Amino acid sequence: NPYAGLVGHLRATWLSGRTRPLEYRVAQLEALGRFLDDKKQEILEATARDMGKPAFEAYFSEILLCKNELNDTLNNLCSWMKDEHVDKNLVTKLDSAFIRKDPYGVVLIIAPWNYPIHLFLVPLIGAIAAGNCVVIKPSEISKNTERLVAETLSCYLDNDCFAVVTAGVPETTRLLENKFDYIFFTGTSRSPSVGRIVMTAAAKHLTPVTLELGGKNPCYVSDACDVQNVARRVAWGRFYNAGQTCIAPDYLLCSLEMQEKLMPALREAITEFFGSNPRESPDFGRIVGDKQFRRVRALLCSGRVAIGGQTDEKERYIAPTVLADVLPSDPAMQEEIFGPILPIVVVANMEEAIDFINARPRPLAVYAFSCDSKVVNQVLERTSSGGFCGNDTLMHVTLSSLPFGGIGTSGLGMYHSKFTFDTFSHRRGCLHRNMGLEALNSLRYPPYSQQKLGLMTATFEVKRRGMCTLC
Amino acid sequence: MEKMQQVVERARAAFNSGRCRSLEFRMQQLKALERMVKEKEKDILAAIKADLHKCGHNAYSHEILGVLGELALAMEKLPSWAAPQPVKKNLLTMRDEAYIYPEPLGVVLIIGAWNYPFVLVMQPLVGAIAAGNAVVVKPSEISENTAQLMADLLPQYLDRDLYPVVTGGVPETTVLLTQRFDHILYTGSSAVGKIVMAAAAKHLTPVTLELGGKSPCYIDKDCDLAIACRRITWGKYMNCGQTCIAPDYILCDPSIQSKVVENIKATLQEFYGEDVKSSPDYERIINKRHFKRIVGLLQGQKIAHGGETDEASCFIAPTILTDVSPESKVMEEEIFGPILPILTVKSVDEAIDFINRREKPLALYVFSNNKQLIKRVISQTSSGGVTGNDVIMHFFLSTLPFGGVGNSGMGAYHGKHSFETFSHRRSCLIKDLKMEGTNKLRYPPSSQKKVDWAKFFVLKRFNKGRAGLLVLALLGVVAAVVMKVSVG
């Protein structure tokens, strides 16, 4: 196996215990911070070349949010690493009982192309913080960023513990044959099947996994709402990174009246954001590759094009587009769009919207807009998704005290901030007992008797305290 | 095997009806389960006795007590476990509602094991019901009496569509695993664990695998050998060694090996009397296949105590092996029987090294009067869980997560950890449709001013405390107004 040597080398360093002390982890994390500072310009340029990522967007998601995670981790690492002492029962009253956070060992992080720095760096922060050695596999589709990471990251991190591997599909398959102690995979559009491949490979070694996948994130807009604000927030979330965001609102559900009201509002928002010709705006991105461009363009023949619809194959430009009167059977409703196209599917009311959402695989995010908080809560309570944001899009993932992850085909596991640290740690239950008080233990030893059992029941049993008001 | 598909589909339809979401419903089911355990205690003990030759007292304390404890805990804590947890907000989300909302996963599958056939199905079941799921229960067919009992009893007490019991062996389980579940908790061997995870991968189903391994037990020269050996004897030979967290083998200095043997022998006498075979408190091996497997491990070994067997009754006497070689068969696989090999090591470093060269075990035990030594062993090794100066006991403290790592498993349960295992923690952010001013800083067209404001809102860290909060609120309002004026 072409990667056995590399993985073996990392494993040998892992066994030496080098990555375990707090000081080591802090030093490596600080080095990552310097990487972000030193290479800021190169990152903005590489992502611009890869998918026309606007500088503001690149700065926000690839630098700012990453620094946020880094600072949060550095500020709290010491307390996260501490043993968590737990409540004890009568039998263990005099013992020491705690949860120890152990690193897993050698972990693998596979990242996608749409936020090519962020989506490997944020998991990497947690993996290093938790004391692991890491193999990083950035996406080969965002070629420029891949090259930047492969060439420069090694100047900042300890090469015996952290390695970048550049690989396409066949090489990644071989990489996955090696035994890792944890695999963290973020995938895009075609995710569910690749997620399955990763988990099947992991099963051979009983390797635990986190899979951040995707789906079609529904966005319900009720009739009672501030149309202009809704339009702006939805347009922002949909057209960010030219729609290539796993948590972008994928399609809109609203009444016929609302569709009519939203159209001019959306038009206005798009013009506000990108001017009358978005192609000339420095703030609107491009599709990452020719294959992806053709796939997204094919989705345009759904419903009718109400706004936008222009494309340019050479530039891989697809205008911010809104499709009206889209049917569930249309192409745009068959797969995750991952492009700057917003289909509107008309539903009679909130009930129908909820049923529509629940008839489909559980998405990464569900969005609901309404001035009536009861409506927002209804949609929240009667649907299931990785996360939920009421009256806005995307924002729930910028709050790092909220775990970020999917459910069902949209993913397994979660991360961000402490959740990343916990993802890459084995929580080990430890009980450190007293050698004395052996007399108490005699209750549990044979020969057994009714008397011993009675006494043991008294000491072991968890008794109900008071009446529960629910019953 | 359409029957399997129908059972799962019925459970899913029942889950989708929404009736197991309400806390009242979940409580009602948990109470019914508690009634079942109390009312049918005799039948449960009889079934376990038939399967494992386990006496009533032993079965009660190993299997029933734990379940009653989990039930009492779940019923008491359910309202607080199921409540949305508000989270710390940043400046940008200050006026919003941000919380984690625990939700059921859907239809979960629990596959039990034969060695503690009741508790290993019931404990996860309590957590799965508490978390609001539908649960398909598949007890081990090897402990057939307990499996049949559960198939008979559960439908009498619980909602039949939501919590069906499926019986059968390998072919039936294979078919069951082709169905889509929203979580699978499997207790059993690592080999089958891989098969379960591979099947789960087809549906991207998260799994909790409670597997096994060889749990090492290091005895330091500096410790009270009489007490240590009594505790080890208890944990090793309970259930005739058929315990996933039994101390599998001992590591100790050659100078104390014979004392260890003496102490264990003395304890065995105390526990089971002169004639172990006639003690009502000593169990039997589950079946002939395992009996033959375990007897095979004795070949070529130095038997310091025990070694008697009787195939007809699947009896294997409590056995101790000394000067065992690391390459011998008894050190290759998890013993899961009443055979205790002792391997000698010259130092704790050698012991740590020995342990680390092997697969990560489910449990690790270390006996010493030296607290620092115990801390060192814990810090320099990895395992599912640890008990220092005793064995097994970390299993009984439900505030500790119980699970494996590496080859011994993934995920954990017990107490609140069961509830969390069977829940999806959904992130929720509820914003205002007003206050659009602050949002403007993120919208195109971009500008340096917007970038600077973005940095302020996202990177600034503030102290807690009411004064800080007030300043925060004020700043937020000021910023919004300023933004509206300068950019709007």
Side-chain angles (χ1 to χ4, degrees):
Chain A
N1 186 292
Y3 301 103
L6 172 68
V7 179
H9 180 73
L10 258 55
R11 194 168 290 288
T13 324
W14 153 252
L15 286 170
S16 76
R18 194 190 302 181
T19 55
R20 307 194 63 152
L22 171 65
E23 299 74 23
Y24 178 87
R25 306 182 200 188
V26 168
Q28 296 300 306
L29 290 171
E30 287 175 343
L32 266 185
R34 286 195 303 277
F35 165 77
L36 284 173
D37 289 333
D38 296 347
K39 297 298 168 191
K40 183 182 99 175
Q41 206 42 49
E42 285 90 330
I43 290 172
L44 297 185
E45 278 163 14
T47 51
R49 260 176 295 180
D50 280 329
M51 65 203 91
K53 200 185 274 275
F56 181 87
E57 287 182 9
Y59 184 75
F60 189 76
S61 65
E62 309 306 282
I63 311 279
L64 208 61
L65 286 180
C66 293
K67 292 221 80 175
N68 200 21
E69 288 278 316
L70 207 54
N71 289 342
D72 197 25
T73 303
L74 284 166
N75 287 339
N76 294 295
L77 186 52
C78 192
S79 79
W80 292 351
M81 278 173 69
K82 285 206 172 80
D83 290 337
E84 263 172 54
H85 286 267
V86 298
D87 285 342
K88 296 178 281 196
N89 53 25
L90 194 50
V91 168
T92 50
K93 256 303 179 268
L94 299 174
D95 306 323
S96 175
F98 55 93
I99 301 173
R100 162 68 55 89
K101 329 296 173 63
D102 280 342
Y104 276 108
V106 179
V107 309
L108 171 64
I109 294 174
I110 301 177
W113 51 261
N114 55 336
Y115 294 89
I117 299 284
H118 182 113
L119 291 173
F120 88 79
L121 201 85
V122 173
L124 178 63
I125 289 169
I128 295 178
N132 299 283
C133 289
V134 192
V135 174
I136 300 143
K137 214 285 303 163
S139 172
E140 71 282 13
I141 294 177
S142 43
K143 295 189 291 292
N144 296 284
T145 316
E146 184 201 35
R147 192 181 317 128
L148 175 68
V149 174
E151 287 170 6
T152 61
L153 197 63
S154 53
C155 306
Y156 291 85
L157 298 178
D158 181 347
N159 294 328
D160 290 326
C161 302
F162 311 107
V164 177
V165 165
T166 55
V169 173
E171 296 91 352
T172 309
T173 309
R174 303 241 49 212
L175 180 62
L176 283 167
E177 286 166 16
N178 291 283
K179 176 176 171 169
F180 291 97
D181 301 303
Y182 202 94
I183 298 177
F184 188 103
F185 171 80
T186 307
T188 55
S189 298
R190 304 281 150 189
S191 304
S193 54
V194 182
R196 286 188 188 101
I197 292 170
V198 172
M199 190 169 170
T200 305
K204 294 200 171 73
H205 298 287
L206 288 171
T207 300
V209 300
T210 291
L211 305 173
E212 297 272 329
L213 309 175
K216 292 182 74 61
N217 306 315
C219 181
Y220 171 65
V221 180
S222 86
D223 287 337
C225 72
D226 183 325
V227 180
Q228 197 52 55
N229 283 351
V230 171
R232 248 188 241 113
R233 295 174 190 197
V234 171
W236 174 71
R238 172 74 279 187
F239 302 120
Y240 199 92
N241 203 31
Q244 297 159 115
T245 308
C246 52
I247 39 158
D250 189 274
Y251 64 97
L252 216 80
L253 290 168
C254 64
S255 66
L256 196 57
E257 296 79 33
M258 183 47 59
Q259 185 183 238
E260 299 314 305
K261 289 204 197 117
L262 270 174
M263 218 47 88
L266 283 166
R267 206 171 279 122
E268 193 183 317
I270 291 170
T271 312
E272 216 179 278
F273 293 169
F274 309 117
S276 51
N277 187 0
R279 201 160 154 187
E280 289 164 11
S281 164
D283 299 325
F284 186 68
R286 298 290 183 266
I287 304 299
V288 72
D290 296 324
K291 192 173 76 155
Q292 292 83 356
F293 171 84
R294 286 193 283 270
R295 181 190 66 77
V296 178
R297 184 179 56 185
L299 303 177
L300 285 169
C301 49
S302 310
R304 62 181 165 86
V305 177
I307 302 174
Q310 303 90 347
T311 68
D312 180 317
E313 183 150 5
K314 203 161 50 110
E315 263 186 57
R316 293 194 294 273
Y317 166 79
I318 298 181
T321 302
V322 179
L323 303 172
D325 300 322
V326 175
L327 297 171
S329 51
D330 282 335
M333 290 306 290
Q334 304 315 312
E335 54 183 82
E336 187 178 358
I337 293 168
F338 230 70
I341 298 173
L342 180 67
I344 302 182
V345 175
V346 168
V347 288
N349 49 37
M350 180 190 77
E351 288 297 326
E352 215 180 281
I354 291 176
D355 288 339
F356 191 96
I357 296 171
N358 287 337
R360 286 164 170 71
R362 289 178 292 189
L364 200 44
V366 166
Y367 299 110
F369 286 82
S370 181
C371 286
D372 182 352
S373 65
K374 281 200 283 304
V375 169
V376 172
N377 277 316
Q378 279 279 292
V379 177
L380 166 57
E381 280 174 26
R382 291 167 56 189
T383 60
S384 181
S385 62
F388 178 91
C389 189
N391 293 331
D392 210 335
T393 58
L394 312 190
M395 291 304 286
H396 59 295
V397 310
T398 62
L399 183 57
S400 61
S401 48
L402 286 174
F404 175 61
I407 185 174
T409 50
S410 59
L412 202 155
M414 55 184 163
Y415 72 121
H416 279 186
S417 189
K418 178 165 195 275
F419 299 105
T420 324
F421 175 87
D422 286 339
T423 288
F424 287 106
S425 303
H426 166 58
R427 292 164 63 82
R428 190 180 185 192
C430 300
L431 183 65
H432 185 159
R433 305 210 76 198
N434 221 297
M435 271 289 217
L437 296 172
E438 184 62 359
L440 282 177
N441 274 355
S442 66
L443 286 181
R444 72 192 197 199
Y445 298 142
Y448 304 121
S449 68
Q450 194 56 44
Q451 188 189 44
K452 273 190 182 180
L453 189 58
L455 279 167
M456 177 133 75
T457 308
T459 49
F460 256 102
E461 203 167 36
V462 174
K463 291 249 182 345
R464 291 286 303 284
R465 278 199 292 269
M467 287 306 285
C468 173
T469 52
L470 286 175
C471 330
Chain B
M1 305 274 180
E2 282 150 32
K3 190 168 169 290
M4 294 288 169
Q5 198 179 345
Q6 279 169 17
V7 167
V8 180
E9 275 169 11
R10 221 182 4 250
R12 190 163 291 287
F15 174 77
N16 287 337
S17 76
R19 68 176 179 273
C20 53
R21 300 284 309 241
S22 78
L23 295 192
E24 289 82 3
F25 180 86
R26 305 183 207 181
M27 282 291 210
Q28 191 195 78
Q29 297 298 306
L30 292 173
K31 272 184 112 46
L33 210 54
E34 187 183 49
R35 262 198 335 270
M36 180 190 96
V37 175
K38 290 187 168 157
E39 287 170 11
K40 300 293 176 183
E41 184 188 302
K42 279 202 172 57
D43 296 324
I44 297 168
L45 295 179
I48 297 173
K49 176 143 199 206
D51 284 326
L52 287 153
H53 195 270
K54 192 181 286 203
C55 75
H57 304 126
N58 212 2
Y60 189 88
S61 59
H62 291 171
E63 307 231 30
I64 304 227
L65 208 55
V67 176
L68 289 174
E70 285 281 297
L71 278 163
L73 185 71
M75 287 192 279
E76 175 172 347
K77 298 286 188 182
L78 183 56
S80 80
W81 289 351
Q85 303 161 247
V87 298
K88 233 183 352 202
K89 295 182 281 196
N90 56 22
L91 191 47
L92 216 51
T93 49
M94 235 187 46
R95 288 189 73 255
D96 309 321
E97 270 180 72
Y99 54 90
I100 300 172
Y101 190 40
E103 297 182 346
L105 290 168
V107 180
V108 311
L109 171 63
I110 294 173
I111 302 178
W114 54 259
N115 57 334
Y116 290 90
F118 189 69
V119 66
L120 290 176
V121 163
M122 293 293 290
Q123 260 186 328
L125 179 61
V126 170
I129 294 177
N133 300 285
V135 191
V136 175
V137 173
K138 162 69 190 76
S140 169
E141 72 284 8
I142 297 179
S143 42
E144 48 187 0
N145 296 285
T146 316
Q148 192 50 53
L149 183 74
M150 282 194 273
D152 294 335
L153 288 185
L154 253 56
Q156 289 176 34
Y157 287 83
L158 299 179
D159 183 304
R160 287 166 189 230
D161 292 331
L162 283 170
Y163 316 109
V165 179
V166 170
T167 52
V170 173
E172 289 84 357
T173 312
T174 309
V175 173
L176 191 58
L177 283 169
T178 59
Q179 300 300 307
R180 180 173 86 79
F181 294 97
D182 301 302
H183 194 101
I184 300 176
L185 187 145
Y186 166 77
T187 307
S189 72
S190 301
V192 179
K194 290 178 182 169
I195 297 172
V196 172
M197 189 171 171
K202 294 202 169 65
H203 297 287
L204 292 169
T205 300
V207 297
T208 299
L209 304 175
E210 298 274 326
L211 310 176
K214 294 182 76 61
S215 300
C217 179
Y218 176 68
I219 308 178
D220 188 33
K221 273 190 284 194
D222 173 20
C223 88
D224 188 326
L225 273 183
I227 294 179
C229 292
R230 190 177 298 122
R231 296 178 182 189
I232 292 170
T233 307
W234 169 71
K236 174 73 200 188
Y237 299 107
M238 69 163 51
N239 209 32
C240 210
Q242 299 161 120
T243 307
C244 52
I245 43 168
D248 189 276
Y249 63 97
I250 289 180
L251 293 168
C252 70
D253 191 277
S255 63
I256 55 168
Q257 188 179 213
S258 49
K259 277 208 220 70
V260 167
V261 174
E262 267 168 50
N263 276 294
I264 296 179
K265 271 165 85 161
T267 311
L268 284 169
Q269 179 96 313
E270 234 178 86
F271 286 1
Y272 305 115
E274 275 296 340
D275 180 20
V276 183
K277 204 160 171 205
S278 57
S279 162
D281 301 329
Y282 189 68
E283 291 89 350
R284 297 291 180 268
I285 301 300
I286 185 79
N287 61 22
K288 295 270 193 307
R289 181 170 73 88
H290 279 282
F291 173 88
K292 290 197 173 91
R293 177 187 66 80
I294 299 166
V295 168
L297 301 175
L298 291 172
Q299 246 182 10
Q301 295 295 342
K302 209 195 286 180
I303 298 179
H305 179 78
E308 299 88 6
T309 67
D310 171 39
E311 184 160 348
S313 58
C314 287
F315 166 81
I316 300 181
T319 302
I320 310 171
L321 308 174
T322 48
D323 296 317
V324 176
S325 143
E327 285 79 41
S328 52
K329 194 145 191 283
V330 76
M331 286 306 291
E332 270 172 33
E333 50 178 81
E334 187 175 356
I335 295 166
F336 229 66
I339 296 176
L340 181 58
I342 304 180
L343 287 84
T344 55
V345 287
K346 301 242 179 37
S347 64
V348 69
D349 292 292
E350 209 184 301
I352 290 172
D353 198 52
F354 187 93
I355 293 167
N356 286 341
R357 273 187 269 117
R358 289 174 159 64
E359 295 291 356
K360 297 176 190 175
L362 190 50
L364 185 139
Y365 303 112
V366 47
F367 286 83
S368 178
N369 284 331
N370 181 349
K371 270 203 177 118
Q372 288 314 312
L373 186 139
I374 295 185
K375 285 188 169 156
R376 226 182 101 203
V377 174
I378 298 179
S379 297
Q380 291 178 13
T381 58
S382 187
S383 63
V386 176
T387 297
N389 287 335
D390 208 336
V391 297
I392 315 282
M393 293 301 286
H394 62 286
F395 179 93
F396 290 112
L397 184 56
S398 66
T399 45
L400 288 176
F402 180 71
V405 65
N407 242 47
S408 55
M410 59 182 79
Y413 72 117
H414 281 189
K416 186 175 188 208
H417 308 288
S418 297
F419 182 87
E420 287 178 354
T421 287
F422 290 113
S423 298
H424 169 59
R425 293 155 80 187
R426 191 176 186 197
S427 296
C428 301
L429 180 67
I430 319 281
K431 295 189 78 90
D432 216 302
L433 255 183
K434 302 186 282 292
M435 289 294 290
E436 186 62 354
T438 29
N439 274 355
K440 289 211 154 79
L441 73 84
R442 74 192 199 204
Y443 296 148
S446 66
S447 67
Q448 189 55 46
K449 189 180 270 168
K450 281 192 181 181
V451 172
D452 294 337
W453 273 111
K455 280 170 83 168
F456 176 79
F457 275 98
V458 175
L459 286 181
K460 236 3 184 182
R461 311 241 123 229
F462 286 87
N463 292 323
K464 298 164 226 164
R466 296 210 149 194
L469 221 57
L470 268 156
V471 171
L472 225 71
L474 217 64
L475 265 159
V477 173
V478 168
V481 171
V482 169
M483 282 307 307
K484 200 160 172 70
V485 166
S486 68
V487 181

